């Protein structure tokens, strides 16, 4: 049976891979953050992302490079890639929004929708379902939303102030921006030439009710790899999942 939603789903994506990764040192002393390997996986973060995007129907990816770009480019030249990849390098710092706009200008089909992801995200969920959610809500931009576990133990109390239970690393009560996006074709025009889109474009779209939030399904894996502790925790979690 033909899938009626297939034609509206993106087949192109941007990966933002230009950050300094200073909190991941010494791992990022000789490579950009997306080239850091989670112990036991045998592949860098960006390698996982490219496989995931390909499995979700993406055929073309633009990688926005910055810090130690040549290391990432050298890996791309020798890796067996499941998608077509083009790299772009900012000649001057443009900020997250400006960098996203610059990378989007190099997508092969600017008139079509596209995915984007931060280069430090290790996750698996259905981008097809997220794209359908985006279309159903007639949004201009859709953010994936995660509930990460907080790094401390929590306590429960009753109405009289008695502690009734201890909970180790519970999920946050708030959803956060998970660093994965679906954008309609006109979105890039609203991005700043330089600066942070999360402080300009996103708040404007939210006020206009054109920004949607897609909760990552319960049980799907998600983690942002920002520190050495995140690497350790991700290795344990992925080993437990058999990945």
């Amino acid at each position: 049976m033909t899938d009626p939603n297939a034609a509206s789903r993106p087949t192109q994506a941007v990966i933002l891979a230009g950050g300094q990764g200073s909190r991941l040192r010494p791992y990022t002393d000789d490579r950009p953050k997306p080239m850091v390997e989670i112990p036991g996986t045998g592949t860098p973060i960006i390698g996982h992302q490219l496989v995931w995007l390909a499995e979700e129907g993406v055929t073309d990816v633009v990688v926005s490079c910055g810090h130690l770009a040549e290391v990432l480019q050298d890996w791309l030249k020798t890796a067996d890639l499941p998608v077509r990849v083009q790299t772009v390098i900012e000649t001057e710092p443009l900020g997250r929004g400006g960098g996203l706009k610059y990378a989007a200008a190099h997508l092969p089909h600017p008139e079509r929708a596209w995915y984007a992801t931060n280069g430090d995200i290790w996750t698996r969920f259905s981008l097809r379902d997220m794209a359908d959610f985006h279309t159903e809500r007639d949004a201009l931009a859709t953010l994936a939303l995660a509930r990460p576990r907080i790094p401390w133990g929590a306590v429960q109390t009753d109405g009289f102030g008695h502690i009734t239970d201890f909970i180790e690393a519970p999920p946050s009560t708030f959803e956060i921006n998970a660093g994965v996006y679906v954008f309609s074709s006109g979105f890039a025009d609203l991005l700043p030439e330089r600066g942070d889109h999360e402080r300009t474009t996103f708040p404007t779209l939210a006020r206009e009710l054109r920004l949607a939030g897609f909760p990552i399904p319960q049980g799907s894996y998600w983690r942002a790899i920002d520190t050495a502790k995140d690497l350790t925790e991700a290795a344990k979690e992925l080993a437990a999942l058999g990945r």
Side-chain angles (χ1 to χ4, degrees):
M1 182 180 294
T2 303
D3 186 343
N5 297 317
S8 64
R9 294 174 186 144
T11 59
Q12 54 187 356
V14 167
I15 297 178
L16 296 174
Q20 292 288 326
S22 56
R23 298 179 65 191
L24 257 178
R25 289 176 177 160
Y27 299 98
T28 50
D29 285 344
D30 61 355
R31 69 197 64 193
K33 188 191 291 188
M35 282 301 299
V36 172
E37 178 184 326
I38 295 176
T41 64
T43 184
I45 297 170
I46 194 168
H48 162 82
Q49 292 180 326
L50 293 173
V51 169
W52 176 49
L53 290 169
E55 290 174 350
E56 294 296 325
V58 171
T59 58
D60 294 271
V61 176
V62 176
V63 181
S64 178
C65 303
H67 173 65
L68 296 173
E70 65 279 3
V71 176
L72 178 51
Q73 290 175 319
D74 288 345
W75 180 81
L76 290 170
K77 289 176 184 176
T78 59
D80 183 14
L81 302 176
V83 293
R84 291 183 290 270
V85 178
Q86 177 185 0
T87 59
V88 296
I89 302 176
E90 298 174 25
T91 56
E92 57 181 326
L94 300 175
R96 290 191 296 175
L100 192 60
K101 187 181 187 80
Y102 180 68
H106 293 80
L107 287 168
H109 305 289
E111 76 285 1
R112 301 179 190 173
W114 45 293
Y115 297 115
T117 182
N118 297 341
D120 60 356
I121 302 298
W122 190 288
T123 187
R124 279 292 171 102
F125 64 90
S126 174
L127 287 175
R128 290 182 173 91
D129 287 349
M130 185 176 172
D132 293 345
F133 179 97
H134 171 83
T135 300
E136 290 164 0
R137 282 146 187 83
D138 195 26
L140 197 57
T142 296
L143 286 62
L145 304 177
R147 289 186 184 271
R149 292 191 173 275
I150 63 174
W152 308 282
V155 296
Q156 286 185 332
T157 60
D158 61 20
F160 296 97
H162 300 121
I163 293 176
T164 59
D165 199 3
F166 294 88
I167 305 171
E168 183 64 27
S172 169
T173 56
F174 292 98
E175 293 176 311
I176 68 164
N177 179 353
V180 180
Y181 312 92
V182 182
F183 297 134
S184 295
S185 59
F187 175 77
D189 296 335
L190 303 179
L191 288 166
E193 294 294 335
R194 63 179 66 240
D196 189 348
H197 60 292
E198 294 192 10
R199 297 184 179 182
T200 54
T201 310
F202 281 175
T204 298
L205 292 179
R207 288 191 295 269
E208 297 173 353
L209 299 181
R210 293 195 293 167
L211 185 66
F214 174 78
I216 294 177
Q218 186 174 4
S220 299
Y221 186 77
W222 178 90
R223 180 177 280 275
I225 310 299
D226 193 44
T227 66
K229 183 178 180 181
D230 290 326
L231 273 179
T232 302
E233 293 298 318
K236 293 178 181 177
E237 293 162 354
L238 292 171
L241 292 170
R243 298 179 183 174

PDB file of all heavy atoms in Angstrom, residues 161-184:
ATOM      1  N   GLY A 161       5.422  17.332  55.036  1.00  0.00           N
ATOM      2  CA  GLY A 161       6.864  17.509  54.998  1.00  0.00           C
ATOM      3  C   GLY A 161       7.654  16.263  55.347  1.00  0.00           C
ATOM      4  O   GLY A 161       8.872  16.333  55.521  1.00  0.00           O
ATOM      5  N   HIS A 162       6.991  15.110  55.471  1.00  0.00           N
ATOM      6  CA  HIS A 162       7.713  13.858  55.720  1.00  0.00           C
ATOM      7  C   HIS A 162       8.249  13.302  54.404  1.00  0.00           C
ATOM      8  O   HIS A 162       7.527  13.282  53.400  1.00  0.00           O
ATOM      9  CB  HIS A 162       6.794  12.804  56.355  1.00  0.00           C
ATOM     10  CG  HIS A 162       6.228  13.227  57.653  1.00  0.00           C
ATOM     11  ND1 HIS A 162       4.869  13.322  57.873  1.00  0.00           N
ATOM     12  CD2 HIS A 162       6.833  13.603  58.801  1.00  0.00           C
ATOM     13  CE1 HIS A 162       4.654  13.724  59.112  1.00  0.00           C
ATOM     14  NE2 HIS A 162       5.839  13.906  59.698  1.00  0.00           N
ATOM     15  N   ILE A 163       9.504  12.873  54.376  1.00  0.00           N
ATOM     16  CA  ILE A 163      10.054  12.210  53.202  1.00  0.00           C
ATOM     17  C   ILE A 163       9.482  10.806  53.113  1.00  0.00           C
ATOM     18  O   ILE A 163       9.549  10.032  54.065  1.00  0.00           O
ATOM     19  CB  ILE A 163      11.590  12.162  53.262  1.00  0.00           C
ATOM     20  CG1 ILE A 163      12.161  13.593  53.134  1.00  0.00           C
ATOM     21  CG2 ILE A 163      12.153  11.268  52.156  1.00  0.00           C
ATOM     22  CD1 ILE A 163      13.656  13.671  53.272  1.00  0.00           C
ATOM     23  N   THR A 164       8.901  10.490  51.954  1.00  0.00           N
ATOM     24  CA  THR A 164       8.253   9.194  51.774  1.00  0.00           C
ATOM     25  C   THR A 164       9.006   8.258  50.834  1.00  0.00           C
ATOM     26  O   THR A 164       8.769   7.057  50.853  1.00  0.00           O
ATOM     27  CB  THR A 164       6.829   9.380  51.228  1.00  0.00           C
ATOM     28  OG1 THR A 164       6.892  10.084  49.975  1.00  0.00           O
ATOM     29  CG2 THR A 164       5.971  10.177  52.211  1.00  0.00           C
ATOM     30  N   ASP A 165       9.917   8.815  50.015  1.00  0.00           N
ATOM     31  CA  ASP A 165      10.621   7.942  49.087  1.00  0.00           C
ATOM     32  C   ASP A 165      11.844   8.663  48.515  1.00  0.00           C
ATOM     33  O   ASP A 165      11.922   9.893  48.530  1.00  0.00           O
ATOM     34  CB  ASP A 165       9.706   7.531  47.934  1.00  0.00           C
ATOM     35  CG  ASP A 165      10.193   6.281  47.202  1.00  0.00           C
ATOM     36  OD1 ASP A 165      11.217   5.693  47.636  1.00  0.00           O
ATOM     37  OD2 ASP A 165       9.560   5.896  46.200  1.00  0.00           O
ATOM     38  N   PHE A 166      12.815   7.873  48.039  1.00  0.00           N
ATOM     39  CA  PHE A 166      13.985   8.381  47.342  1.00  0.00           C
ATOM     40  C   PHE A 166      13.966   7.817  45.917  1.00  0.00           C
ATOM     41  O   PHE A 166      13.715   6.623  45.729  1.00  0.00           O
ATOM     42  CB  PHE A 166      15.275   7.942  48.039  1.00  0.00           C
ATOM     43  CG  PHE A 166      15.446   8.547  49.402  1.00  0.00           C
ATOM     44  CD1 PHE A 166      14.909   7.918  50.520  1.00  0.00           C
ATOM     45  CD2 PHE A 166      16.132   9.735  49.571  1.00  0.00           C
ATOM     46  CE1 PHE A 166      15.061   8.468  51.776  1.00  0.00           C
ATOM     47  CE2 PHE A 166      16.280  10.290  50.829  1.00  0.00           C
ATOM     48  CZ  PHE A 166      15.748   9.656  51.944  1.00  0.00           C
ATOM     49  N   ILE A 167      14.245   8.670  44.925  1.00  0.00           N
ATOM     50  CA  ILE A 167      14.218   8.248  43.530  1.00  0.00           C
ATOM     51  C   ILE A 167      15.560   8.601  42.902  1.00  0.00           C
ATOM     52  O   ILE A 167      15.969   9.766  42.897  1.00  0.00           O
ATOM     53  CB  ILE A 167      13.088   8.949  42.752  1.00  0.00           C
ATOM     54  CG1 ILE A 167      11.746   8.722  43.454  1.00  0.00           C
ATOM     55  CG2 ILE A 167      13.031   8.436  41.314  1.00  0.00           C
ATOM     56  CD1 ILE A 167      10.614   9.545  42.879  1.00  0.00           C
ATOM     57  N   GLU A 168      16.243   7.597  42.394  1.00  0.00           N
ATOM     58  CA  GLU A 168      17.564   7.806  41.808  1.00  0.00           C
ATOM     59  C   GLU A 168      17.439   8.312  40.375  1.00  0.00           C
ATOM     60  O   GLU A 168      16.816   7.661  39.524  1.00  0.00           O
ATOM     61  CB  GLU A 168      18.361   6.492  41.825  1.00  0.00           C
ATOM     62  CG  GLU A 168      19.786   6.610  41.312  1.00  0.00           C
ATOM     63  CD  GLU A 168      20.653   7.518  42.179  1.00  0.00           C
ATOM     64  OE1 GLU A 168      20.367   7.636  43.385  1.00  0.00           O
ATOM     65  OE2 GLU A 168      21.612   8.108  41.637  1.00  0.00           O
ATOM     66  N   ALA A 169      18.000   9.492  40.096  1.00  0.00           N
ATOM     67  CA  ALA A 169      18.056  10.081  38.751  1.00  0.00           C
ATOM     68  C   ALA A 169      16.718  10.002  38.022  1.00  0.00           C
ATOM     69  O   ALA A 169      16.602   9.351  36.977  1.00  0.00           O
ATOM     70  CB  ALA A 169      19.149   9.412  37.925  1.00  0.00           C
ATOM     71  N   PRO A 170      15.687  10.648  38.543  1.00  0.00           N
ATOM     72  CA  PRO A 170      14.371  10.582  37.880  1.00  0.00           C
ATOM     73  C   PRO A 170      14.343  11.430  36.608  1.00  0.00           C
ATOM     74  O   PRO A 170      15.174  12.340  36.432  1.00  0.00           O
ATOM     75  CB  PRO A 170      13.446  11.186  38.934  1.00  0.00           C
ATOM     76  CG  PRO A 170      14.306  12.171  39.652  1.00  0.00           C
ATOM     77  CD  PRO A 170      15.678  11.530  39.717  1.00  0.00           C
ATOM     78  N   PRO A 171      13.395  11.162  35.706  1.00  0.00           N
ATOM     79  CA  PRO A 171      13.247  12.023  34.524  1.00  0.00           C
ATOM     80  C   PRO A 171      12.842  13.432  34.945  1.00  0.00           C
ATOM     81  O   PRO A 171      12.146  13.631  35.938  1.00  0.00           O
ATOM     82  CB  PRO A 171      12.119  11.345  33.732  1.00  0.00           C
ATOM     83  CG  PRO A 171      12.043   9.954  34.258  1.00  0.00           C
ATOM     84  CD  PRO A 171      12.471  10.025  35.688  1.00  0.00           C
ATOM     85  N   SER A 172      13.291  14.401  34.173  1.00  0.00           N
ATOM     86  CA  SER A 172      12.909  15.783  34.439  1.00  0.00           C
ATOM     87  C   SER A 172      11.404  15.948  34.283  1.00  0.00           C
ATOM     88  O   SER A 172      10.764  15.271  33.473  1.00  0.00           O
ATOM     89  CB  SER A 172      13.635  16.711  33.463  1.00  0.00           C
ATOM     90  OG  SER A 172      13.103  18.013  33.516  1.00  0.00           O
ATOM     91  N   THR A 173      10.823  16.850  35.057  1.00  0.00           N
ATOM     92  CA  THR A 173       9.400  17.150  34.905  1.00  0.00           C
ATOM     93  C   THR A 173       9.152  18.070  33.724  1.00  0.00           C
ATOM     94  O   THR A 173       8.008  18.249  33.304  1.00  0.00           O
ATOM     95  CB  THR A 173       8.846  17.801  36.182  1.00  0.00           C
ATOM     96  OG1 THR A 173       9.617  18.980  36.481  1.00  0.00           O
ATOM     97  CG2 THR A 173       8.927  16.840  37.359  1.00  0.00           C
ATOM     98  N   PHE A 174      10.227  18.667  33.186  1.00  0.00           N
ATOM     99  CA  PHE A 174      10.110  19.560  32.042  1.00  0.00           C
ATOM    100  C   PHE A 174      10.661  18.894  30.790  1.00  0.00           C
ATOM    101  O   PHE A 174      11.649  18.159  30.842  1.00  0.00           O
ATOM    102  CB  PHE A 174      10.872  20.872  32.281  1.00  0.00           C
ATOM    103  CG  PHE A 174      10.280  21.742  33.348  1.00  0.00           C
ATOM    104  CD1 PHE A 174      10.796  21.722  34.638  1.00  0.00           C
ATOM    105  CD2 PHE A 174       9.213  22.573  33.069  1.00  0.00           C
ATOM    106  CE1 PHE A 174      10.261  22.528  35.627  1.00  0.00           C
ATOM    107  CE2 PHE A 174       8.667  23.379  34.054  1.00  0.00           C
ATOM    108  CZ  PHE A 174       9.184  23.362  35.336  1.00  0.00           C
ATOM    109  N   GLU A 175      10.032  19.166  29.650  1.00  0.00           N
ATOM    110  CA  GLU A 175      10.589  18.735  28.372  1.00  0.00           C
ATOM    111  C   GLU A 175      11.618  19.764  27.911  1.00  0.00           C
ATOM    112  O   GLU A 175      11.468  20.956  28.149  1.00  0.00           O
ATOM    113  CB  GLU A 175       9.477  18.602  27.333  1.00  0.00           C
ATOM    114  CG  GLU A 175       8.509  17.479  27.643  1.00  0.00           C
ATOM    115  CD  GLU A 175       7.353  17.420  26.655  1.00  0.00           C
ATOM    116  OE1 GLU A 175       6.743  18.476  26.402  1.00  0.00           O
ATOM    117  OE2 GLU A 175       7.071  16.317  26.158  1.00  0.00           O
ATOM    118  N   ILE A 176      12.654  19.280  27.234  1.00  0.00           N
ATOM    119  CA  ILE A 176      13.699  20.175  26.732  1.00  0.00           C
ATOM    120  C   ILE A 176      13.838  20.025  25.221  1.00  0.00           C
ATOM    121  O   ILE A 176      13.397  19.031  24.634  1.00  0.00           O
ATOM    122  CB  ILE A 176      15.062  19.893  27.402  1.00  0.00           C
ATOM    123  CG1 ILE A 176      15.601  18.521  26.967  1.00  0.00           C
ATOM    124  CG2 ILE A 176      14.965  19.985  28.917  1.00  0.00           C
ATOM    125  CD1 ILE A 176      17.070  18.320  27.249  1.00  0.00           C
ATOM    126  N   ASN A 177      14.445  21.016  24.601  1.00  0.00           N
ATOM    127  CA  ASN A 177      14.780  20.942  23.189  1.00  0.00           C
ATOM    128  C   ASN A 177      15.826  19.844  23.000  1.00  0.00           C
ATOM    129  O   ASN A 177      16.931  19.926  23.534  1.00  0.00           O
ATOM    130  CB  ASN A 177      15.321  22.297  22.725  1.00  0.00           C
ATOM    131  CG  ASN A 177      15.728  22.325  21.265  1.00  0.00           C
ATOM    132  OD1 ASN A 177      15.744  21.307  20.590  1.00  0.00           O
ATOM    133  ND2 ASN A 177      16.078  23.496  20.787  1.00  0.00           N
ATOM    134  N   ALA A 178      15.486  18.809  22.232  1.00  0.00           N
ATOM    135  CA  ALA A 178      16.356  17.643  22.091  1.00  0.00           C
ATOM    136  C   ALA A 178      17.398  17.797  20.994  1.00  0.00           C
ATOM    137  O   ALA A 178      18.184  16.879  20.752  1.00  0.00           O
ATOM    138  CB  ALA A 178      15.515  16.398  21.828  1.00  0.00           C
ATOM    139  N   GLY A 179      17.412  18.937  20.302  1.00  0.00           N
ATOM    140  CA  GLY A 179      18.443  19.168  19.291  1.00  0.00           C
ATOM    141  C   GLY A 179      18.214  18.464  17.974  1.00  0.00           C
ATOM    142  O   GLY A 179      19.148  18.269  17.196  1.00  0.00           O
ATOM    143  N   VAL A 180      16.958  18.074  17.693  1.00  0.00           N
ATOM    144  CA  VAL A 180      16.579  17.462  16.416  1.00  0.00           C
ATOM    145  C   VAL A 180      15.351  18.220  15.912  1.00  0.00           C
ATOM    146  O   VAL A 180      14.425  18.487  16.684  1.00  0.00           O
ATOM    147  CB  VAL A 180      16.256  15.968  16.569  1.00  0.00           C
ATOM    148  CG1 VAL A 180      15.867  15.355  15.220  1.00  0.00           C
ATOM    149  CG2 VAL A 180      17.446  15.215  17.165  1.00  0.00           C
ATOM    150  N   TYR A 181      15.325  18.546  14.608  1.00  0.00           N
ATOM    151  CA  TYR A 181      14.307  19.448  14.095  1.00  0.00           C
ATOM    152  C   TYR A 181      13.762  18.995  12.748  1.00  0.00           C
ATOM    153  O   TYR A 181      14.437  18.312  11.983  1.00  0.00           O
ATOM    154  CB  TYR A 181      14.896  20.857  13.887  1.00  0.00           C
ATOM    155  CG  TYR A 181      15.699  21.369  15.054  1.00  0.00           C
ATOM    156  CD1 TYR A 181      17.082  21.162  15.117  1.00  0.00           C
ATOM    157  CD2 TYR A 181      15.089  22.053  16.104  1.00  0.00           C
ATOM    158  CE1 TYR A 181      17.831  21.630  16.190  1.00  0.00           C
ATOM    159  CE2 TYR A 181      15.829  22.536  17.184  1.00  0.00           C
ATOM    160  CZ  TYR A 181      17.201  22.311  17.212  1.00  0.00           C
ATOM    161  OH  TYR A 181      17.936  22.773  18.285  1.00  0.00           O
ATOM    162  N   VAL A 182      12.529  19.429  12.455  1.00  0.00           N
ATOM    163  CA  VAL A 182      11.972  19.392  11.108  1.00  0.00           C
ATOM    164  C   VAL A 182      11.640  20.835  10.745  1.00  0.00           C
ATOM    165  O   VAL A 182      10.982  21.542  11.520  1.00  0.00           O
ATOM    166  CB  VAL A 182      10.689  18.548  11.012  1.00  0.00           C
ATOM    167  CG1 VAL A 182      10.195  18.525   9.562  1.00  0.00           C
ATOM    168  CG2 VAL A 182      10.921  17.137  11.502  1.00  0.00           C
ATOM    169  N   PHE A 183      12.095  21.280   9.573  1.00  0.00           N
ATOM    170  CA  PHE A 183      11.843  22.644   9.117  1.00  0.00           C
ATOM    171  C   PHE A 183      11.154  22.632   7.756  1.00  0.00           C
ATOM    172  O   PHE A 183      11.560  21.887   6.856  1.00  0.00           O
ATOM    173  CB  PHE A 183      13.149  23.434   8.991  1.00  0.00           C
ATOM    174  CG  PHE A 183      13.883  23.612  10.289  1.00  0.00           C
ATOM    175  CD1 PHE A 183      15.251  23.380  10.357  1.00  0.00           C
ATOM    176  CD2 PHE A 183      13.223  24.025  11.439  1.00  0.00           C
ATOM    177  CE1 PHE A 183      15.947  23.555  11.550  1.00  0.00           C
ATOM    178  CE2 PHE A 183      13.906  24.198  12.639  1.00  0.00           C
ATOM    179  CZ  PHE A 183      15.273  23.962  12.693  1.00  0.00           C
ATOM    180  N   SER A 184      10.130  23.460   7.602  1.00  0.00           N
ATOM    181  CA  SER A 184       9.516  23.653   6.288  1.00  0.00           C
ATOM    182  C   SER A 184      10.428  24.520   5.426  1.00  0.00           C
ATOM    183  O   SER A 184      11.351  25.176   5.925  1.00  0.00           O
ATOM    184  CB  SER A 184       8.138  24.299   6.443  1.00  0.00           C
ATOM    185  OG  SER A 184       7.247  23.428   7.114  1.00  0.00           O
TER     186      SER A 184
END
